[in-house]
Amino acid sequence: MPETSVRGFSPVVFALKSSLYPMRKHYRAFAYTAPTHIRSICYTRTTQNEDTLHLVALGEFGNYSPKTEIYREKLLSSVCAWAVREGKQKVVAKVAEDDPLVEVLVSLGFTRVTEEKVFSREIFNAGSGPATPETSLAEQDLWDAWRLYNHTEPATIRRADGLTPSMWKRNHTEKTQRKEWIVRNPEGNLAVYGSLKSGKRNYILNFFYDPDIPELEQSLRLALNLGINKISQIGHVQVYCTVREHQDELECLLNDEGFSLLHNQLRLVLYTTAFVKSKDNQTVPSVETNPAALQTGFFQKKDTTQKDAII
């Protein structure tokens, strides 16, 4: 959207909504505006259970100026404050490791959860191959996958994901664009869980697995080949795979299978709630919004001289 397309409109929100329409469900746009035009814009996405806000993209309008970083920080601060008012429990951002935006988010109270490496590969129609994975899991397989997730994923990642058993079941039983499969070792224990999410132009692979099982490489390779074969039946597409910092075995396998590293990114999370205790010192599963213990940047900073608007 060129800068000239929004100048002169009053209010600016009219031009913004007109240019973005139609928006996808659960997506929202925030803009930092001057009296006559938009300075910066932020796209966000809310999870299905609406307790988490994901920062999807951040952009500027017009030429870069020394004030651009100021516009970014003020916009992000306001977005985080909005998330608090709306009762969101956390705000999640994935940012390139060397992006100056990392420092801005940390100053607002975001904490590092994990480093992720994004790999990519073109998949062509390969004809026949190993049996393709089922599109859904049996109930026992579903709960075995849940136990594998809780056993193998670090606590910091599990907290950031915020999954509960009921959420896990709902996410994996409702009709979605996700396809899932599992690989068990010779003893019958679940070794690898794989999933494939499809978009309009690309596909995303995700895996979690038990690094301590015997013959891990063989099980992991089988799980990856099952996913690739499923994609190859579609045609010529681009597939991505995210590898978290504790998944060294998967990274080595992707290199062997022709995937190339696109970039490194940091997964950052801002927690807007905290557990509180009852008077009898027993932990209860309740939260308070804007707790005093969370001394984050957007709770502290106030700019009473600001004349620009946040929409």
Side-chain angles (χ1 to χ4, degrees):
M1 184 169 61
E3 187 179 16
T4 53
S5 67
V6 297
R7 283 188 172 176
F9 285 93
S10 180
V12 178
V13 68
F14 173 80
L16 176 63
K17 288 186 175 180
S18 299
S19 300
L20 295 178
Y21 183 84
M23 289 286 290
R24 293 177 58 186
K25 187 178 180 181
H26 304 301
Y27 281 72
R28 181 184 295 265
F30 297 83
Y32 185 90
T33 68
T36 57
H37 57 278
I38 297 173
R39 289 296 188 183
S40 185
I41 189 168
C42 179
Y43 295 95
T44 66
R45 174 177 61 86
T46 305
T47 54
Q48 196 169 20
N49 59 340
E50 298 187 348
D51 71 342
T52 303
L53 184 71
H54 292 264
L55 304 182
V56 177
L58 185 68
E60 290 76 36
F61 293 88
N63 297 326
Y64 181 89
S65 71
K67 291 186 177 181
T68 299
E69 298 299 327
I70 299 177
Y71 299 149
R72 276 187 167 191
E73 183 173 357
K74 289 185 176 181
L75 175 59
L76 289 173
S77 178
S78 296
V79 171
C80 293
W82 176 88
V84 173
R85 294 194 300 270
E86 294 295 314
K88 308 302 179 186
Q89 296 185 21
K90 52 184 174 290
V91 183
V92 179
K94 293 184 178 181
V95 187
E97 189 175 23
D98 57 351
D99 194 319
L101 193 59
V102 173
E103 294 184 6
V104 175
L105 293 172
V106 171
S107 71
L108 293 175
F110 282 75
T111 58
R112 180 184 183 277
V113 174
T114 185
E115 179 184 345
E116 300 175 340
K117 295 182 179 180
V118 181
F119 288 82
S120 174
R121 174 185 162 184
E122 286 184 288
I123 303 293
F124 299 89
N125 193 327
S128 60
T132 57
E134 298 295 331
T135 58
S136 60
L137 299 178
E139 186 171 356
Q140 183 59 49
D141 294 334
L142 184 66
W143 291 117
D144 285 347
W146 166 251
R147 285 189 286 269
L148 180 65
Y149 167 82
N150 279 280
H151 174 67
T152 59
E153 293 299 289
T156 53
I157 293 180
R158 297 200 309 271
R159 184 190 177 198
D161 291 340
L163 293 176
T164 64
S166 59
M167 290 171 57
W168 176 271
K169 183 177 181 179
R170 183 176 67 249
N171 292 342
H172 294 263
T173 55
E174 292 180 348
K175 291 184 178 180
T176 64
Q177 298 287 59
R178 180 192 294 111
K179 295 177 174 58
E180 304 170 290
W181 60 98
I182 60 172
V183 174
R184 295 185 181 273
N185 62 11
E187 289 74 26
N189 299 320
L190 184 58
V192 184
Y193 164 88
S195 68
L196 174 67
K197 294 181 181 180
S198 59
K200 291 185 177 181
R201 299 180 180 86
N202 51 50
Y203 294 79
I204 301 175
L205 285 167
N206 282 292
F207 298 93
F208 54 83
Y209 54 89
D210 186 351
D212 299 324
I213 63 168
E215 301 178 353
L216 171 62
E217 182 179 354
Q218 179 179 348
S219 299
L220 195 55
R221 189 177 298 275
L222 175 59
L224 178 60
N225 288 337
L226 285 171
I228 291 177
N229 186 65
K230 184 67 176 178
I231 301 170
S232 68
Q233 299 177 8
I234 302 171
H236 181 195
V237 298
Q238 193 80 16
V239 62
Y240 300 89
C241 185
T242 301
V243 179
R244 293 177 289 280
E245 58 187 349
H246 62 282
Q247 295 182 320
D248 294 334
E249 301 86 356
L250 178 59
E251 180 179 349
C252 294
L253 181 59
L254 291 175
N255 287 322
D256 292 342
E257 293 295 326
F259 283 77
S260 57
L261 177 64
L262 286 182
H263 67 273
N264 295 355
Q265 64 186 22
L266 296 179
R267 185 177 178 185
L268 305 172
V269 178
L270 171 68
Y271 294 100
T272 63
T273 56
F275 284 98
V276 298
K277 291 186 178 182
S278 61
K279 293 182 179 180
D280 59 359
N281 294 325
Q282 291 183 353
T283 302
V284 294
S286 60
V287 296
E288 57 178 344
T289 303
N290 190 3
L294 295 179
Q295 298 297 326
T296 58
F298 68 85
F299 288 140
Q300 298 174 0
K301 295 181 179 179
K302 294 183 180 180
D303 185 2
T304 56
T305 63
Q306 178 182 340
K307 297 181 180 180
D308 297 336
I310 300 295
I311 59 175

